[in-house]
Amino acid sequence: HERSMLAAMSRSKGPALPKGHVAVRLDAPTIARLEALLPLYALPGRDATRSDGLRAVILAGLEVEERRSARLAKATAAAKVDDP
């Protein structure tokens, strides 16, 4: 039974998009910082896991980096117009 449960967890929950899996190695200070944020991601009746916390900070960081990338692309395009 445990084996079938683990197999089910490793599969995507729906046919639309496959679930991506990644593994990361973090140093102890980074893990401590992440664990300090876990209460932010808890749900009623369910404590947040490290995976929940890591997912949240990755998504928040992606938004920051996407905005930075858009600003850089805009500045690069403007520079090309000014200096053909």
Side-chain angles (χ1 to χ4, degrees):
H1 185 294
E2 183 178 327
R3 187 178 204 97
S4 64
M5 182 178 72
L6 291 174
M9 288 172 52
S10 67
R11 289 194 312 266
S12 175
K13 301 295 184 222
L17 291 173
K19 204 174 190 182
H21 294 275
V22 286
V24 296
R25 292 175 194 241
L26 301 172
D27 59 17
T30 303
I31 290 172
R33 291 170 65 195
L34 179 64
E35 288 180 343
L37 297 174
L38 291 183
L40 294 173
Y41 314 121
L43 299 173
R46 181 182 173 276
D47 289 338
T49 64
R50 283 182 180 171
S51 291
D52 296 328
L54 190 56
R55 187 177 305 108
V57 298
I58 287 171
L59 293 175
L62 278 173
E63 289 180 8
V64 169
E65 291 300 293
E66 287 166 343
R67 286 192 302 266
R68 189 167 72 108
S69 177
R71 284 192 305 270
L72 180 61
K74 187 175 179 180
T76 301
K80 287 181 181 177
V81 169
D82 290 342
D83 187 27

